[in-house]
Amino acid sequence: MDLGLSGRVFVVTGGSAGLGLATARALAAEGARTVISSRDKEKVDRAVAELSPLSPTVGTVADLADPGTPGRLLELAGEVYGRVDGALISVGGPSPGTAASADDDQWRAAFESVFLGAVRCSRTVAAHLAKGGGGGAIGLVLSSSARSPITGLGISNGLRPGLAMVAKDLADEYGPRGVRVLGLLPGRIATDRTAALDRARPEARERALAGIPLGRYGEPEEFGRVAAFLLSPAASYITGTSVPIDGGALRTP
């Protein structure tokens, strides 16, 4: 299937590692051009070097907690490629711990980056796509915790469901102008963050595997291919929903 991504341009935040990089890789393999960002310059440079042979790629250091970040990313895409067709908004997961054990500073920091940063970027990109008249697609990388809490990730359990509803609200508002907005709900994907969480709580891995009907963790590439499809014109009638990529672990249909 031709996803219709060749020549299209996407901003990918958190694009230097993990699920963001996996998505940028899948987009580039389909001929899309990307602007990737993260807070780590070394990782950004490494990702750009990897992706550039597949398709034109530029990168920049940026933090979603900075109010100026969305505008800078859109401006860079416009300067380099002359257009923007969508974005994957991925932010690092908040620190582990229960909702009760996290203090105000931890909640506040996570809210600024994970929640408000993602909302700000989503609404800025949506407005830009609508103004351009060509429409486009925005995917928010959330978590299966948007539908069912994950033990030991209390802050994520608190913030992700709200972002899923923000995606739905934005989809309602911008759908008439050709902009699609949706959420992606990764379960246990074999990223560096998942490995770190497993090292901290080894018993959680076995419990997680027991609850995954496919019997294994997903690979980042499996997430990236789904994300690339959902952002593509091939998924032009999908919006306002959250798509689990979790091997069947969620017990809701």
Side-chain angles (χ1 to χ4, degrees):
M1 179 191 298
D2 181 2
L3 298 183
L5 286 168
S6 182
R8 292 180 179 265
V9 176
F10 293 89
V11 170
V12 181
T13 72
S16 68
L19 302 182
L21 177 58
T23 301
R25 192 181 290 127
L27 291 169
E30 293 289 332
R33 296 168 288 178
T34 57
V35 173
I36 64 170
S37 70
S38 81
R39 294 177 293 182
D40 188 314
K41 185 179 187 305
E42 183 177 342
K43 288 183 178 180
V44 169
D45 291 344
R46 188 162 58 240
V48 169
E50 175 193 338
L51 296 171
S52 292
L54 298 175
S55 191
T57 307
V58 295
T60 186
V61 176
D63 186 346
L64 280 185
D66 178 357
T69 288
R72 286 201 303 111
L73 295 177
L74 291 171
E75 184 178 356
L76 178 59
E79 288 176 354
V80 176
Y81 302 123
R83 61 185 290 177
V84 180
D85 297 286
L88 183 87
I89 300 172
S90 178
V91 298
S95 57
T98 65
S101 66
D103 61 27
D104 284 1
D105 287 340
Q106 289 173 304
W107 276 103
R108 190 173 294 109
F111 178 83
E112 288 290 335
S113 60
V114 174
F115 190 90
L116 183 55
V119 171
R120 183 189 297 116
C121 193
S122 299
R123 74 187 185 209
T124 303
V125 174
H128 181 87
L129 295 174
K131 183 178 180 180
I138 300 169
L140 283 81
V141 181
L142 306 177
S143 165
S144 59
S145 64
R147 290 190 182 170
S148 181
I150 298 174
T151 302
L153 294 179
I155 296 179
S156 179
N157 295 337
L159 299 182
R160 302 296 193 187
L163 284 172
M165 291 300 101
V166 168
K168 181 68 172 175
D169 193 86
L170 288 170
D172 291 346
E173 181 172 355
Y174 284 97
R177 285 176 273 179
V179 179
R180 298 184 296 112
V181 186
L182 45 86
L184 297 97
L185 309 184
R188 291 280 179 161
I189 310 292
T191 61
D192 290 343
R193 173 171 165 80
T194 300
L197 292 172
D198 283 348
R199 286 193 296 271
R201 300 176 63 246
E203 73 284 357
R205 176 180 173 83
E206 295 306 315
R207 187 164 58 247
L209 285 171
I212 301 173
L214 290 184
R216 62 177 177 83
Y217 283 9
E219 295 297 325
E221 290 73 20
E222 293 177 300
F223 175 92
R225 288 193 292 267
V226 175
F229 165 72
L230 291 171
L231 290 171
S232 78
S236 58
Y237 203 54
I238 301 175
T239 191
T241 190
S242 292
V243 180
I245 307 158
D246 68 346
L250 278 171
R251 307 320 302 152
T252 54

